[in-house]
Amino acid sequence: MDGAAGAVALMRSVGQGSAQPSHAIFFDAARLAEENRDFADRTGQGALLEPAVDGVLLHFDDAEADAAFCADPPAQVDDPNAHDVAARFLWSERFFPLKFQRMGPSQLAGEVVLPPERVAKFVKGAHRFARRFGAHAAVESIVARVPDGDDRREEWVTIVAFPCDASRGFDYFWRLVLVQLITHLGVRLGGRPYGLGIWNAPFAGRALGRERWQRLTQRKRALDPARLLNPGKFFRIRTRL
């Protein structure tokens, strides 16, 4: 598969078929290499889960849809039944994208929500930033379909994770800059941060939409004029940078 661009093309191809997956995740080669490392560590056998290549995990809630897809997969997909062990393992681990920090020393990640047509460019740019920081980045992107009026819009929640050493202050704070750059790249490409907080305060207006952000800050001032709730937290930061 041709990286994130191939994953997007595959999902659009699947979307045109009758068998619709309920869940879809893109893993780049670096991310599957981490899964191999985790799988070997758990089994103690040094076994490979899958070759470290770009791939997509599809899950069907309906057994008939699953069988229909496996019987006539898109041209980009080889025999789906040949990857049953890997698929089951990845599916069982789907809620733990940052689990690799247990293997040390630590891990940071940038998380953004993107329209599908911007995912490939974002992944390429995120890897480029990571290389400049001397970081080995791995990407996982989860496809989500969100309500949009009477229709549903497709978005890709994309996680770019990389190791760091929290015990080395300079290394940790230097890699935090990389998180900001990754998030800023996603925002420039028409996305938004996956979550908010102090670290993502500069992106709050873009993430929430200006009107919603203004309503939120106004309500906060009205309900908590003395700033007793979540002291020290803020919705916006202004700098000259």
Side-chain angles (χ1 to χ4, degrees), residues 30-52:
R31 183 68 172 77
L32 276 180
E34 289 183 337
E35 290 288 356
N36 277 331
R37 181 185 171 198
D38 181 55
F39 186 73
D41 181 67
R42 293 194 191 191
T43 60
Q45 299 178 358
L48 287 180
L49 181 67
E50 279 289 311

Side-chain angles (χ1 to χ4, degrees), residues 4-89:
V8 173
L10 172 61
M11 287 309 303
R12 287 181 169 172
S13 174
V14 172
Q16 296 172 358
S18 58
Q20 297 293 314
S22 58
H23 198 92
I25 313 176
F26 163 68
F27 300 97
D28 75 349
R31 183 68 172 77
L32 276 180
E34 289 183 337
E35 290 288 356
N36 277 331
R37 181 185 171 198
D38 181 55
F39 186 73
D41 181 67
R42 293 194 191 191
T43 60
Q45 299 178 358
L48 287 180
L49 181 67
E50 279 289 311
V53 296
D54 300 317
V56 172
L57 173 67
L58 300 177
H59 176 79
F60 296 86
D61 285 340
D62 182 72
E64 292 184 2
D66 183 27
F69 179 85
C70 292
D72 186 23
Q76 304 98 310
V77 178
D78 56 6
D79 181 9
N81 298 306
H83 308 277
D84 187 61
V85 173
R88 291 179 182 275
F89 179 81

Side-chain angles (χ1 to χ4, degrees), residues 113-190:
V113 182
L114 294 157
E117 63 273 13
R118 301 298 176 87
V119 173
K121 190 171 184 179
F122 170 78
V123 171
K124 183 177 180 181
H127 274 295
R128 184 172 65 249
F129 276 134
R131 286 194 297 270
R132 291 177 179 176
F133 277 70
H136 181 71
V139 177
E140 176 178 331
S141 193
I142 304 164
V143 181
R145 292 185 175 89
V146 298
D148 186 10
D150 295 331
D151 203 354
R152 297 184 74 84
R153 183 180 70 256
E154 186 175 294
E155 295 181 327
W156 290 50
V157 181
T158 305
I159 304 166
V160 182
F162 48 89
C164 68
D165 191 345
S167 66
R168 297 168 54 196
F170 178 78
D171 179 78
Y172 181 75
F173 287 107
W174 181 238
R175 299 297 171 89
L176 282 175
V177 175
L178 175 56
V179 174
Q180 285 284 73
L181 288 173
I182 288 172
T183 305
H184 184 254
L185 172 64
V187 170
R188 284 198 297 111
L189 291 174

Side-chain angles (χ1 to χ4, degrees), residues 9 78 85 163 199-200 206 236:
D78 56 6
V85 173
W199 193 243
N200 278 337
R206 183 63 177 267
R236 189 175 183 182

